[in-house]
Amino acid sequence: MSQNPPETTLSDEQIRETVERILSAGALPPIVQAGHPALRQRAAAFDGQLSPEELDRLIALMRQVMHEAPGVGLAAPQLGIPLQIAVVEDQFDVDPEAAALRKRSPLEFMALLNPTYTPVGTELASFYEGCLSLNGLQAVVARPERVLLEFQVPEGSRVQREFAGWQARIVQHETDHLNGVLYVDRAQLRSLSSNAEYAARWAEPGIAKAREGLGFGDGPTALP
């Protein structure tokens, strides 16, 4: 049975109090893990709940947490903040063969407010991906190869930008977080692997070996 994620139960004032508490803690906040309600609720659209100074501080903190993890993206719900804010950045050195197959190129730092994406064309790409809120696991997800992302920048203007390859996967993953969707909702569950098993058996540029060994199919998985 299909079920849409519920809207966040926190009021704008409660969201602001949560942000203020995290910003004043004097330490990096933990990344919440699967089972936390903020990951399974549709985050509130950002419409001025925070002052420009608070927003800048939150974005800077999110970037620091992302780097420390380390990861290539982080959504505010992963800090327990149900606001439609995400940060992305991919500057990792990766194996050239894997980078070529996955169409992975560096992605400069960006803060995305209220993002939505639309597939461009019908081509899909299937690769393993993981999540900082599901520690120790990876699974194969089929995602659109190219998307048009519409989002608001912190300064307030609305932007449209097309992303392809691994960059498209990153912005889809983080946008999904803001709508209460985790990558495992879209994954081929027979591909689910611990990081250790992935490293030992399936860590190659493509997924052909894993698909044969674990017996999973192709294409997208319908959301529950």
Side-chain angles (χ1 to χ4, degrees):
M1 180 176 66
S2 178
Q3 182 176 355
N4 292 323
E7 302 289 336
T8 179
T9 57
L10 296 187
S11 67
D12 285 353
E13 183 60 32
Q14 289 173 315
I15 292 172
R16 182 169 183 172
E17 289 173 354
T18 300
V19 173
E20 289 175 343
R21 183 173 64 253
I22 289 173
L23 291 177
S24 64
L28 292 183
I31 296 173
V32 303
Q33 297 298 302
H36 192 290
L39 297 174
R40 286 314 203 174
Q41 298 172 352
R42 192 181 304 276
F46 180 81
D47 62 0
Q49 293 93 334
L50 307 177
S51 70
E53 189 266 342
E54 289 170 328
L55 178 60
D56 287 347
R57 289 176 60 202
L58 176 59
I59 289 171
L61 180 67
M62 289 174 63
R63 187 181 190 184
Q64 189 177 359
V65 173
M66 175 180 64
H67 286 172
E68 184 71 20
V72 296
L74 187 77
Q78 293 181 274
L79 301 184
I81 302 169
L83 265 182
Q84 296 227 353
I85 302 171
V87 296
V88 296
E89 184 177 16
D90 185 6
Q91 301 293 340
F92 289 103
D93 290 327
V94 296
D95 173 73
E97 182 184 358
L101 182 63
R102 299 173 185 179
K103 299 179 182 177
R104 183 172 180 175
S105 58
L107 175 64
E108 76 276 13
F109 176 77
M110 302 176 66
L112 313 174
L113 281 60
N114 305 328
T116 60
Y117 65 83
T118 305
V120 176
T122 59
E123 186 178 357
L124 298 174
S126 295
F127 292 106
Y128 269 97
E129 68 181 75
C131 180
L132 298 176
S133 289
L134 288 98
N135 276 336
L137 296 173
Q138 297 190 50
V140 171
V141 183
R143 292 190 183 272
E145 167 68 24
R146 187 176 296 270
V147 296
L148 179 66
L149 189 76
E150 184 174 353
F151 59 99
Q152 181 181 336
V153 297
E155 294 73 25
S157 59
R158 198 76 184 169
V159 176
Q160 285 189 336
R161 177 171 166 181
E162 196 168 295
F163 292 88
W166 205 258
Q167 293 184 1
R169 182 172 295 270
I170 293 170
V171 299
Q172 289 175 76
H173 182 115
E174 299 309 326
T175 301
D176 280 355
H177 266 305
L178 304 179
N179 292 291
V181 175
L182 297 176
Y183 83 95
V184 289
D185 298 331
R186 301 188 184 279
Q188 294 284 349
L189 287 183
R190 289 188 65 89
S191 72
L192 191 68
S193 303
S194 70
N195 284 349
E197 288 295 332
Y198 172 79
R201 302 176 188 276
W202 318 124
E204 56 183 33
I207 62 167
K209 183 180 177 182
R211 184 167 50 209
E212 180 180 357
L214 298 176
F216 57 87
D218 292 316
T221 302
L223 293 181

